[in-house]
Amino acid sequence: MIVNEFIPKPYSHLLENGAVAYSAPSNIALVKYWGKKAHQIPANPSISFTLNNCKTSTTLKFKKKTTDGFSFDVFLEGDLQTDFKPKIEQFFKRIEVYIPFLTAYHFTIETSNTFPHSSGIASSASGMSALALCLVQIEQQLNPTISKEFFNKKASFLARLGSGSACRSIEGDLVVWGAHANIQGSSDLVGIKYPYEVHENFKNYRDTILLVDKGEKQVSSTVGHNLMHNHPFAEPRFAQAHSNMDALMAALKTGDLNAFISIVEREALTLHAMMMSSDPYFILMKPNTLEIINKLWAFRAQTGLHICFTLDAGANVHVLFPDNEAKEIQEFIANELSVHCQNGHFIEDNVGQGAQPIKI
Ligand code: DP6
């Protein structure tokens, strides 16, 4: 795959105005992306479950203009947002060569999340993928010959340039991003649907997100990724991600839940270990993050149930478990873990099938 395939031929005509809309999910990485090169190229491959309930819906209205440069307004839940503008402006700059009509229109971006904005759940993956999908939908109106396959590929390619993990939010249910020797079709440029057999144990896997800290992140992911340059453990970490991917592939095939747990928890703790050993170092876990992890381990030892956790770049805990153990584990979460959440809040989610167009 080469980047040039995403540069379109000149359009025969431009529409005067219009509107498109897409809903895109969040995703939770099992093998983590942490560290990147220029142009949003990941330092190692990652794989994630696409979520079902945590989503961003975006309507993109466009109207022809005659002025130069980018012109857009962003609304979140109906309110004009100026703090999102720099990130979107940077996104537009990165993708202008692939979406030449970006300067031809004034855009109104109306977006809303199913999860509260102040939940500490990153909306960049679902937000950037929804916006990328809207842009490709406009491109499809200008060039109706675009195939479904190319549509998804280009949306993932663009989303990656908005936020790396966003390229894993186009399709479901497991998505790989980053070239890996043993995964056919894997690429640093786009996320692809995991191409191999997955055991029944991983169907409709559950993810309950425990909202430990709803505040803004103290350290952005972008800053964290950059701290992997010159990190003393960077090279062994990147190599470990490749071998963890191999081990996870074996577990996904055979349905080995214990192997899955061991890889996923090690990945989460390694991610945070990288943060704790960078220069400057930082800690994103909170006391309640550790309380939850310790209680979860004790419950797993006591019951033999296949509950485990993963973490993103924050204090919230994603509790993962198989569908057929959901009843007991959900009771445990409500009775024992929710007390460690801010205002007792948690979000029940499960693995989903990817983004959907919205009829407008
Ligand atoms: C810890 O995708 O938010 O969630 O590319 O700079 O926008 P940028 O970073 P981002 O990083 C997410 C990192 C992670 C792990 C993961 O999702 O793989």
Side-chain angles (χ1 to χ4, degrees), residues 27-29 31-34 36 40 46-47 87 122 124-125 160 162-166 168 177 217 221-223 225 271 275 311-313:
N27 69 73
I28 180 67
V31 172
K32 306 288 180 182
Y33 149 56
W34 197 244
K36 60 176 161 182
Q40 295 285 98
S46 58
I47 183 168
K87 189 143 191 180
S124 64
R160 188 194 92 245
S163 178
S165 56
R168 300 188 312 237
W177 168 41
K217 281 197 252 180
S221 292
T222 303
V223 171
H225 286 292
L271 168 70
M275 299 171 189
L311 307 166
D312 263 347

Side-chain angles (χ1 to χ4, degrees), residues 84-248:
F84 288 180
K85 281 199 106 169
K87 189 143 191 180
I88 294 176
E89 176 102 26
Q90 183 197 46
F91 176 50
F92 280 6
K93 274 190 198 140
R94 286 182 185 162
I95 65 170
E96 190 186 354
V97 58
Y98 309 108
I99 299 286
F101 60 76
L102 270 184
T103 47
Y105 294 119
H106 171 78
F107 293 97
T108 305
I109 305 165
E110 293 169 0
T111 182
S112 63
N113 297 324
T114 55
F115 46 91
H117 180 54
S118 58
S119 62
I121 296 184
S123 56
S124 64
S126 51
M128 284 298 177
S129 54
L131 184 54
L133 284 154
C134 287
L135 290 169
V136 185
Q137 210 176 14
I138 297 175
E139 180 166 22
Q140 197 177 37
Q141 292 184 356
L142 302 175
N143 175 10
T145 63
I146 289 176
S147 69
K148 179 76 191 150
E149 193 195 341
F150 183 78
F151 187 103
N152 282 344
K153 205 154 97 168
K154 181 151 182 182
S156 179
F157 176 84
L158 296 177
R160 188 194 92 245
L161 294 168
S163 178
S165 56
C167 78
R168 300 188 312 237
S169 275
I170 308 294
E171 291 182 89
D173 44 357
L174 272 163
V175 177
V176 175
W177 168 41
H180 185 276
N182 300 323
I183 303 181
Q184 215 183 357
S186 60
S187 161
D188 287 344
L189 300 180
V190 297
I192 61 157
K193 205 171 150 64
Y194 181 69
Y196 304 115
E197 189 193 331
V198 175
H199 193 275
E200 199 56 27
N201 284 350
F202 298 105
K203 295 280 161 350
N204 199 34
Y205 223 70
R206 306 295 185 109
D207 177 8
T208 297
I209 307 157
L210 306 185
L211 305 178
V212 170
D213 183 17
K214 303 188 191 176
E216 282 284 308
K217 281 197 252 180
Q218 306 129 310
V219 182
S220 76
S221 292
T222 303
V223 171
H225 286 292
N226 283 334
L227 293 175
M228 288 304 281
H229 296 299
N230 303 319
H231 192 296
F233 307 135
E235 288 314 317
R237 157 61 199 153
F238 300 147
Q240 180 203 38
H242 284 265
S243 55
N244 278 349
M245 194 71 105
D246 279 318
L248 190 66

